[in-house]
Amino acid sequence: MIIVALDPPQNVDVEKWIKIRYDELKEYVQGFKIGVPAIIRVGLEGLSKIFKDYSGLLIADLKLADIGDVMALTASIVGDYGFNAVIAHAFVGYSQAVDELSKTCEKKGLKLILVVSMSHRGSEEFIDKHLESFVEIAKRVGSWGLVAPATRPLIIKRVRELIGSEVKILSPGIGVQGAEPGTAICYGADYEIVGRAITHSENVKQSALKIIENQKQRVAKCRG
């Protein structure tokens, strides 16, 4: 299960860059994740036109980390432009923060995805030390999904133990950051997030199909 991170490089026509990759990949992957730089460069209206007929996961990767009112308003706005999921940080806490965001997501039909660990080494300095507390926040608000890194699969395993089987785990770090396709799923993730290994390749479709096949092979092996 693949979610493609659409993070355009500098010095490209961003709207065209995203549309080409969306058209090439939409039949083969389960969703797309759009980060802050691309949202700023293309704009919500431009993105809504590109993805207007898409029924898969369309994630606004804003990594929201503010008071509840601000996060709720931001989620409401992106929902109006066709996004059906939003990523926020759990570290801002529950009261007057993630609790208010979750209520807005429920009203707008948005899937709330909370970051409980990240794929870079700096996550170990603070975020990972509070992993269990962040997972508890996700439980309290009924989060649809959690972000945990493919680069540290034992974190994924621990998150799955803590959260149970119903909540989705999305794992970034496949490809350029070093994790092999299928690794995160073998440790309990539902989706692997892949960016540059697909989107910056010369043949986007071929690269995606190769990663999907590698993922299937590794998962088949680890699950026996």
Side-chain angles (χ1 to χ4, degrees), residues 64-84:
L64 296 170
D66 212 314
I67 63 170
D69 288 344
V70 173
M71 294 194 294
L73 176 58
T74 305
S76 180
I77 291 169
V78 297
D80 288 340
Y81 282 90
F83 285 93
N84 54 31

Side-chain angles (χ1 to χ4, degrees), residues 6-218:
L6 292 171
D7 299 314
Q10 294 290 333
N11 303 316
V12 298
D13 181 328
V14 180
E15 191 166 345
K16 181 179 178 181
W17 188 95
I18 290 175
K19 189 174 188 313
I20 288 172
R21 283 150 183 80
Y22 165 65
D23 289 338
E24 285 280 316
L25 299 171
K26 61 184 177 182
E27 296 180 22
Y28 305 102
V29 302
Q30 284 64 54
F32 295 92
K33 181 176 75 72
I34 316 295
V36 172
I39 291 174
I40 291 172
R41 293 167 77 186
V42 178
L44 289 171
E45 189 169 337
L47 290 169
S48 70
K49 291 177 181 177
I50 295 172
F51 293 95
K52 64 180 179 179
D53 298 318
Y54 187 58
S55 59
L57 275 172
L58 185 58
I59 304 169
D61 184 11
L62 301 171
K63 292 191 177 68
L64 296 170
D66 212 314
I67 63 170
D69 288 344
V70 173
M71 294 194 294
L73 176 58
T74 305
S76 180
I77 291 169
V78 297
D80 288 340
Y81 282 90
F83 285 93
N84 54 31
V86 64
I87 294 178
H89 274 293
F91 67 66
V92 293
Y94 173 82
S95 182
Q96 296 183 321
V98 176
D99 60 337
E100 294 182 18
L101 172 61
S102 69
K103 291 173 186 176
T104 294
C105 287
E106 186 175 358
K107 289 178 184 177
K108 299 289 291 187
L110 288 164
K111 293 175 174 65
L112 176 59
I113 302 166
L114 292 180
V115 177
V116 296
S117 181
M118 297 179 74
S119 59
H120 69 302
R121 280 182 284 176
S123 184
E124 300 174 33
E125 298 170 12
F126 176 77
I127 294 176
D128 292 359
K129 295 176 182 178
H130 301 272
L131 182 70
E132 295 188 7
S133 296
F134 296 154
V135 173
E136 281 301 313
I137 290 172
K139 288 181 180 179
R140 289 183 71 183
V141 299
S143 181
W144 177 85
L146 302 178
V147 175
T151 50
R152 294 201 305 287
L154 291 179
I155 292 286
I156 300 171
K157 183 179 180 181
R158 181 58 178 151
V159 170
R160 179 55 75 201
E161 291 170 350
L162 292 168
I163 200 63
S165 60
E166 298 301 317
V167 178
K168 306 298 183 184
I169 297 178
L170 296 77
S171 292
I174 300 292
V176 173
Q177 286 185 284
E180 294 291 331
T183 301
I185 292 177
C186 286
Y187 277 82
D190 298 280
Y191 299 95
E192 294 184 335
I193 299 172
V194 187
R196 289 167 287 177
I198 293 175
T199 62
H200 290 204
S201 64
E202 291 186 8
N203 190 318
V204 172
K205 179 179 173 181
Q206 184 178 40
S207 295
L209 292 175
K210 182 178 179 181
I211 286 174
I212 291 168
E213 182 58 31
N214 289 343
Q215 183 189 71
K216 289 179 179 177
Q217 291 177 2
R218 184 178 293 270

